[in-house]
Amino acid sequence: MTSIRQRFGSIGTVIAALALGVASAAARADIYVLVEKNGSVRFSNVPNDPRFRLYHREPTEHKLKDVAEARNLRNPGDYRLRAPWGRKIEPEVLANPRLARKPFQEQVVEAAKQTNLDPALIHAVIVAESNYNPNAVSPKGAEGLMQLLPDTARRYGVMKKEIRQPEKNIKAGAQYLADLLQMFDGDVRLALAGYNAGENSVVRHGNRIPPYAETRAYVPRVLNTYDQLRLR
């Protein structure tokens, strides 16, 4: 939920983060960055200055498949993270060995069971939002592992003083993500865009990823991490 510029303090950190983002990003959708002489950083999807350099591209391989195809997948979370045809996510997905040593794995699995989400997706959001820092606070006031704003947390029964508690933060964040997936008919990209920019922003832009540089960088970053963590 924090802005990209605010997440990366110094120019050196910015450059290192950009290099990591470019190296890990799957190709497509153009987001560009420009570092000014005074150290300020600008992101844009319209490179109207020759000094702009490619930050990363939005992948296309995460488009939803037909429901009939998804039924036969070992891990239906590949395309619909909250499968409407199943009440519970598959046990092998919950027992994904790639996640066994991840921080807060117990709380993530419990939230995944309650929301029927792939725990790998929850971990991917946590990595992007706080990198597993339960005390993370954004300049906009989002807090905790999944960077919940107080109003969002309250929507899911979490009081302001409880937001940084890992179990409650993860549970509320997962419930919000699951509701976004339901709202956008299982479209993972739109759900993540809504998580970052707010669901109303997605709706206002015709159920498309809003044209915000931060959001257009955030969605593929989470999906890339999810690809690395999910059960094959």
Side-chain angles (χ1 to χ4, degrees):
M1 303 284 256
T2 53
S3 71
I4 295 173
R5 184 185 302 182
Q6 290 161 333
R7 274 193 179 132
F8 299 150
S10 66
I11 299 179
T13 307
V14 170
I15 294 173
L18 295 182
L20 178 60
V22 171
S24 63
R28 303 282 190 277
D30 308 342
I31 300 297
Y32 297 84
V33 63
L34 188 159
V35 181
E36 300 281 8
K37 291 182 178 179
N38 63 2
S40 63
V41 180
R42 292 165 52 194
F43 289 89
S44 176
N45 62 332
V46 181
N48 54 7
D49 187 306
R51 295 176 298 163
F52 271 108
R53 295 292 180 267
L54 181 66
Y55 175 47
H56 57 91
R57 301 176 184 273
E58 182 179 352
T60 60
E61 63 268 27
H62 296 283
K63 291 182 179 179
L64 291 178
K65 289 192 173 183
D66 183 78
V67 169
E69 294 180 60
R71 285 182 190 276
N72 298 320
L73 292 173
R74 181 181 180 190
N75 177 9
D78 287 354
Y79 298 99
R80 297 233 172 176
L81 278 295
R82 198 178 191 218
W85 54 82
R87 293 186 177 182
K88 295 181 180 180
I89 197 161
E90 297 177 11
E92 57 264 40
V93 176
L94 293 173
N96 182 351
R98 294 173 181 269
L99 307 178
R101 297 186 179 182
K102 292 295 181 184
F104 307 104
Q105 169 68 348
E106 182 178 344
Q107 293 91 333
V108 168
V109 168
E110 185 59 33
K113 290 178 181 178
Q114 294 176 6
T115 57
N116 198 28
L117 290 178
D118 187 332
L121 180 67
I122 299 175
H123 275 289
V125 171
I126 291 174
V127 170
E129 293 291 344
S130 68
N131 198 25
Y132 295 108
N133 178 5
N135 296 313
V137 182
S138 81
K140 296 180 181 179
E143 299 183 44
L145 290 167
M146 297 190 76
Q147 289 290 275
L148 298 177
L149 289 168
D151 286 346
T152 304
R154 193 178 304 114
R155 186 191 310 179
Y156 295 100
V158 178
M159 304 303 293
K160 178 72 168 66
K161 63 182 180 180
E162 302 172 322
I163 293 180
R164 299 190 200 181
Q165 296 178 18
E167 181 178 1
K168 293 189 176 183
N169 188 282
I170 292 172
K171 180 180 178 181
Q175 288 177 331
Y176 180 38
L177 184 58
D179 285 345
L180 289 169
L181 281 161
Q182 185 176 49
M183 178 179 184
F184 296 116
D185 193 29
D187 191 320
V188 184
R189 295 167 66 252
L190 293 184
L192 291 173
Y195 197 97
N196 178 259
E199 60 266 37
N200 290 333
S201 294
V202 177
V203 173
R204 282 199 307 270
H205 289 90
N207 279 4
R208 298 177 182 274
I209 295 178
Y212 311 143
E214 178 188 343
T215 304
R216 294 208 168 182
Y218 175 89
V219 172
R221 187 165 70 251
V222 175
L223 289 174
N224 290 335
T225 302
Y226 172 62
D227 278 344
Q228 294 169 17
L229 297 178
R230 67 185 176 87
L231 187 68
R232 303 298 182 187

